[in-house]
Amino acid sequence: MNWTKARWILAGIVLLVSVWLMSAGLKAGGIGAAFPVIGSALLFVTFIIMIAPDTAVKVSEWIARPFAALFYPDDEFDKPPLSYVLARKYSQERKVESAVQEYEKILYFYPEERDACRELIELGKRVGDGELTEKYEEVWRERFENESGQNDEMNKDQA
């Protein structure tokens, strides 16, 4: 028999003796209850110390998990939150490849976002990249011209 099993068996015996002493102390009256109650408390502390190596880490993880989740959420999201901040910053700084990557991420996770497609077309025109402009004008036609009234919005922006 290994040491862990022997320690748990001994801890169980100590707990049973502690409970037995406490019940004896509660049945006794007056000062005669002091020895069994004090002995029971000491045996209970001994029980806790005996099981602590196996349970302390698990119990502390169980207690700490809700607080850790505030700073490091366990949730995994289907898609990142919609944000144009990075894409527009790269676009302003003329970091074309990085801006295109960010806009493509937006279009990948949010295919209904007209602004991302429109801003990619504008970026292509601003830097003189005909391929980029043509590619996203085609994406615009495929995704948004079929919707009623959306073609008028694109034509207003191009004018």
Side-chain angles (χ1 to χ4, degrees):
M1 181 159 56
N2 64 14
W3 168 243
T4 305
K5 285 184 182 178
R7 188 167 29 91
W8 274 91
I9 291 171
L10 187 58
I13 293 169
V14 167
L15 181 63
L16 289 174
V17 172
S18 171
V19 169
W20 177 75
L21 274 175
M22 184 59 75
S23 67
L26 291 174
K27 289 177 186 173
I31 196 78
F35 175 72
V37 170
I38 292 171
S40 174
L42 290 174
L43 285 174
F44 186 73
V45 169
T46 304
F47 164 75
I48 297 296
I49 290 171
M50 291 177 80
I51 66 166
D54 299 327
T55 58
V57 173
K58 293 176 183 171
V59 170
S60 63
E61 284 179 357
W62 177 72
I63 292 170
R65 186 169 291 125
F67 300 103
L70 292 173
F71 299 106
Y72 305 104
D74 295 344
D75 296 337
E76 292 184 22
F77 300 104
D78 293 338
K79 54 187 177 181
L82 177 62
S83 174
Y84 282 86
V85 173
L86 204 53
R88 288 175 178 159
K89 180 171 175 43
Y90 288 145
S91 179
Q92 289 173 351
E93 294 175 356
R94 292 195 174 264
K95 295 180 180 177
V96 178
E97 289 181 24
S98 299
V100 169
Q101 285 178 350
E102 292 301 316
Y103 282 120
E104 285 176 343
K105 275 191 226 176
I106 292 170
L107 287 172
Y108 176 77
F109 289 110
Y110 298 92
E112 71 282 353
E113 279 298 309
R114 284 182 244 107
D115 291 339
C117 193
R118 184 182 312 118
E119 290 178 24
L120 268 168
I121 294 168
E122 291 171 6
L123 177 65
K125 288 178 181 176
R126 195 171 58 226
V127 297
D129 189 344
E131 286 183 32
L132 180 68
T133 305
E134 288 176 26
K135 178 181 176 182
Y136 286 99
E137 283 177 344
E138 180 64 30
V139 169
W140 179 273
R141 282 190 289 276
E142 289 174 3
R143 290 187 186 178
F144 307 116
E145 273 193 9
N146 296 336
E147 298 175 15
S148 63
Q150 301 305 325
N151 193 18
D152 296 336
E153 185 178 334
M154 181 63 182
N155 290 334
K156 287 178 192 173
D157 290 340
Q158 287 180 349

